């Protein structure tokens, strides 16, 4: 080989290396480039949502979630799975950490045993409550009567239902994974999401190439799928943001995991599906934002108070909540829910009922989650979304609310109110976290 040919080859190799470095340097920004612009099925752009959430919503909703009325959520974590025998990997039945199955120890499977013990430890519920709080909960029981639910409601008077302090049980990585976790999400997508009949089973919720069938769906069915996909994306973002980075001397260190974020959302690693999932998160945010703006008249009545027994704090909490409602009303690009179920009355009524039953079934699947902490946040966010849908489909009843007496046409329980605002708070946090990941990805270049 001549010296000139060797030089040419070396020059081509260097040029290829430079091209590769330039290409790699731009990969992290692909997520940002694709998660932008106007959302489908509504006239709203992502940048407007980002700014609105960052400067108006997030600081206030975070403060609201710290108030006593909203930090305690009553939930039944012991209701059995109605669809299959619970055989989830390291499922947690009680608030304490249970030992791992003996078969793992007998099989001497060290890695699986370590994963199991970590999932048990991280997934356990912190059930610490003060005596003062327990006494207050008895007083709170005088609230709550509702109908037309979109979720399978827990019996709040059931001995199995308990108040959980959400601030002591943040949503984050628990190590819950494998067949059990996959089956829950697969059941939600496969059995409950509206989908064209040309899509055959099994339908993997993370599989690409759904888009070519998607346009065949009517608006209502597209909305339903996007809500579930957006909820899934939001939960995944929380896990990526509060990931167990390391554990030394029994003290865990939590923080954002860029590698995990890219695995779930990078367009290359997800074959283009990641940005679509994140756009569905924004769509879900808009739906719940619209519900909050619609339900404001319910809370603006003097008869409605956010009762905890502390009159001064209760008044401050309601003032903060009404302030948030005013902000939601000021958003200029709301989703128009009137475009849904707008066909002939008989067909629209049938589709609305199908919509409701599908969603109610999804709330029941949350009882099949094998990790207590995951089940807690899954049930809360599902009920929050169900309450938002109940609000959007009850506009006439809300308009007819009496000022100084309870309404038989539309009522929200304490559990629904707490779930609604905390679920929206989770979405607000997800959008804030997504902004942080974009910054981290830029710095990682």
């Amino acid at each position: 080989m001549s010296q000139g040919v060797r030089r040419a080859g070396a020059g081509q190799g260097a040029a290829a290396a430079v091209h590769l470095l330039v290409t790699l340097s731009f990969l992290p920004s692909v997520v940002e480039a694709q998660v932008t612009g106007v959302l489908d099925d509504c006239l709203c752009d992502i940048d407007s949502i980002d700014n609105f959430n960052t400067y108006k919503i997030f600081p206030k909703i975070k403060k609201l979630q710290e108030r006593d009325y909203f930090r305690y959520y009553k939930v039944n974590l012991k209701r059995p799975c109605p669809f299959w025998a619970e055989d989830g990997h390291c499922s947690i039945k009680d608030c304490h950490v249970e030992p791992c199955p003996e078969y793992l120890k007998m099989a001497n499977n060290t890695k699986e045993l370590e994963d199991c013990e970590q999932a048990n430890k991280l997934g356990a519920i912190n059930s610490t409550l003060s005596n003062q709080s327990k006494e207050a909960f008895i007083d709170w029981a005088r609230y709550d009567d509702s109908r037309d639910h979109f979720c399978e409601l827990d019996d709040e008077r059931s001995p199995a239902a308990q108040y959980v302090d959400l601030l002591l049980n943040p949503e984050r990585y628990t190590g819950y994974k494998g067949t059990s976790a996959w089956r829950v999400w697969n059941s939600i997508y496969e059995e409950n999401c509206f989908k064209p009949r040309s899509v055959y089973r099994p339908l993997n919720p993370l599989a690409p190439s759904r888009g070519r069938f998607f346009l065949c769906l009517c608006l209502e069915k597209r909305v339903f799928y996007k809500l579930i996909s957006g909820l899934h994306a939001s939960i995944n973002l929380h896990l990526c943001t509060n990931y167990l980075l390391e554990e030394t001397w029994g003290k865990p260190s939590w923080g954002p995991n860029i590698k995990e974020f890219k695995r779930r959302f990078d367009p290359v690693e997800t074959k283009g599906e990641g940005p679509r999932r994140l756009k569905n998160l924004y769509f879900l945010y808009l739906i719940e934002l619209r519900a909050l703006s619609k339900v404001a008249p319910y809370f603006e009545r003097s008869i409605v108070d956010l009762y905890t027994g502390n009159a001064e704090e209760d008044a401050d909490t309601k003032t903060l909540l009404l302030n948030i409602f005013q902000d939601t009303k000021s958003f200029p690009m709301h989703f128009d829910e009137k475009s849904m179920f707008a066909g002939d009355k008989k067909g629209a009524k049938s589709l609305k009922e199908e919509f409701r039953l599908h969603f109610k079934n999804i709330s029941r699947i949350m009882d099949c989650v094998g990790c207590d902490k995951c089940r807690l946040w899954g049930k809360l966010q599902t009920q929050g979304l169900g309450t938002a849908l109940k609000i959007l489909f009850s506009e006439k009843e809300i308009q007819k609310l009496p000022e100084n007496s309870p309404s038989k046409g539309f009522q929200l329980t304490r559990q629904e109110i707490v779930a609604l605002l905390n679920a929206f708070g989770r979405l607000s946090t997800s959008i804030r976290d997504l902004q942080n990941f974009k910054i981290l990805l830029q710095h990682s270049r």
Side-chain angles (χ1 to χ4, degrees):
M1 183 184 296
S2 68
Q3 190 174 7
V5 172
R6 284 198 298 272
R7 282 193 188 128
Q12 290 172 356
V18 169
H19 177 73
L20 177 62
L21 286 173
V22 171
T23 301
L24 290 175
S25 70
F26 280 98
L27 274 179
S29 63
V30 173
V31 171
E32 183 175 8
Q34 294 194 8
V35 185
T36 187
V38 177
L39 293 174
D40 296 332
D41 292 322
C42 61
L43 300 176
C44 183
D45 66 279
I46 287 175
D47 288 341
S48 297
I49 299 175
D50 284 339
N51 291 330
F52 179 76
N53 182 68
T54 299
Y55 298 109
K56 285 203 168 186
I57 294 297
F58 178 73
K60 294 177 183 177
I61 199 76
K62 188 174 185 297
K63 188 177 179 181
L64 186 74
Q65 289 174 288
E66 295 171 354
R67 299 297 177 93
D68 281 352
Y69 188 94
F70 290 100
R71 71 180 286 181
Y72 296 107
Y73 178 62
K74 194 170 188 180
V75 60
N76 182 0
L77 296 174
K78 298 181 181 180
R79 177 177 285 174
C81 174
F83 300 109
W84 57 77
E86 292 185 77
D87 58 352
H89 178 56
C90 301
S91 64
I92 303 161
K93 303 293 184 187
D94 302 305
C95 294
H96 63 276
V97 177
E98 292 187 343
C100 289
E102 287 296 322
Y103 76 87
L104 289 181
K105 298 177 182 178
M106 293 171 61
N108 197 28
N109 191 332
T110 305
K111 178 65 171 66
E112 192 172 353
L113 181 61
E114 288 177 353
D115 286 348
C116 172
E117 289 174 342
Q118 183 191 62
N120 272 337
K121 181 178 179 181
L122 300 179
I125 291 291
N126 184 335
S127 58
T128 304
L129 293 171
S130 68
N131 289 331
Q132 184 180 6
S133 295
K134 292 176 182 177
E135 292 174 3
F137 298 152
I138 297 174
D139 192 25
W140 294 4
R142 67 183 179 86
Y143 276 77
D144 305 346
D145 177 31
S146 65
R147 66 178 190 177
D148 195 25
H149 299 301
F150 273 76
C151 288
E152 186 75 8
L153 289 184
D154 290 306
D155 180 6
E156 295 187 39
R157 289 186 170 84
S158 167
Q162 60 179 331
Y163 274 102
V164 177
D165 187 337
L166 299 176
L167 298 184
L168 292 181
N169 294 278
E171 185 181 19
R172 59 191 179 192
Y173 174 81
T174 65
Y176 178 60
K177 55 188 175 182
T179 305
S180 176
W182 181 86
R183 180 161 59 174
V184 168
W185 278 112
N186 190 64
S187 297
I188 289 173
Y189 280 95
E190 171 66 12
E191 301 299 335
N192 291 283
C193 274
F194 293 101
K195 58 184 183 295
R197 291 173 182 163
S198 56
V199 179
Y200 297 101
R201 301 180 183 187
L203 179 64
N204 186 336
L206 301 182
S209 303
R210 188 188 305 274
R212 66 175 179 270
F213 302 111
F214 199 56
L215 292 176
C216 301
L217 296 175
C218 67
L219 171 64
E220 293 83 358
K221 296 181 180 182
R222 290 202 306 272
V223 167
F224 191 95
Y225 171 76
K226 286 181 178 182
L227 297 180
I228 303 306
S229 174
L231 178 61
H232 196 181
S234 180
I235 291 173
N236 281 336
L237 260 173
H238 303 153
L239 306 186
C240 294
T241 301
N242 295 292
Y243 202 87
L244 181 62
L245 301 179
E246 60 180 337
E247 189 169 9
T248 55
W249 301 99
K251 293 183 178 181
S253 174
W254 305 91
N257 187 319
I258 297 178
K259 183 177 179 181
E260 186 67 18
F261 175 83
K262 292 179 69 177
R263 186 180 76 83
R264 294 175 185 269
F265 298 110
D266 183 88
V268 176
E269 296 197 29
T270 62
K271 298 181 180 180
E273 286 295 308
R276 184 178 300 167
R277 296 170 193 159
L278 292 174
K279 283 189 174 183
N280 290 338
L281 161 65
Y282 281 93
F283 185 80
L284 173 58
Y285 179 92
L286 282 181
I287 291 290
E288 295 199 13
L289 181 72
R290 180 61 165 172
L292 292 182
S293 70
K294 287 287 185 179
V295 82
Y298 176 86
F299 290 93
E300 289 168 352
R301 298 177 302 154
S302 58
I303 193 175
V304 175
D305 59 349
L306 305 177
Y307 183 84
T308 66
N310 184 330
E312 184 177 353
E313 180 176 322
D314 293 349
D316 289 343
T317 300
K318 184 172 181 180
T319 298
L320 177 58
L321 179 62
L322 294 180
N323 192 260
I324 292 173
F325 286 146
Q326 285 302 118
D327 286 336
T328 65
K329 291 179 182 179
S330 71
F331 187 70
M333 293 174 282
H334 276 293
F335 173 76
D336 182 12
E337 73 283 358
K338 291 180 181 178
S339 58
M340 297 174 61
F341 311 112
D344 65 280
K345 289 186 178 181
K346 185 177 179 181
K349 184 178 180 180
S350 174
L351 186 58
K352 178 181 175 181
E353 181 62 11
E354 186 181 2
F355 199 101
R356 187 183 71 84
L357 292 176
H358 273 303
F359 198 86
K360 190 171 183 178
N361 209 32
I362 287 176
S363 74
R364 299 175 70 206
I365 291 178
M366 289 300 168
D367 285 316
C368 300
V369 176
C371 154
D372 268 5
K373 196 169 287 185
C374 308
R375 184 183 294 199
L376 163 66
W377 286 102
K379 288 169 78 76
L380 182 147
Q381 290 172 89
T382 303
Q383 185 177 21
L385 176 52
T387 305
L389 294 174
K390 171 183 171 179
I391 292 166
L392 292 179
F393 299 148
S394 303
E395 184 176 14
K396 292 181 179 179
E397 291 81 358
I398 295 175
Q399 290 175 346
K400 297 176 182 177
L401 288 171
E403 173 61 32
N404 298 311
S405 61
S407 168
K408 294 182 179 180
F410 179 83
Q411 188 77 10
L412 294 176
T413 68
R414 177 188 297 269
Q415 194 181 29
E416 287 175 314
I417 295 169
V418 172
L420 175 67
L421 272 299
N422 273 285
F424 183 67
R426 292 277 73 205
L427 297 177
S428 177
T429 300
S430 291
I431 289 178
R432 193 282 311 265
D433 290 340
L434 180 56
Q435 308 315 305
N436 291 340
F437 269 113
K438 289 178 180 179
I439 294 171
L440 290 173
L441 287 169
Q442 289 174 347
H443 289 170
S444 71
R445 286 185 290 169

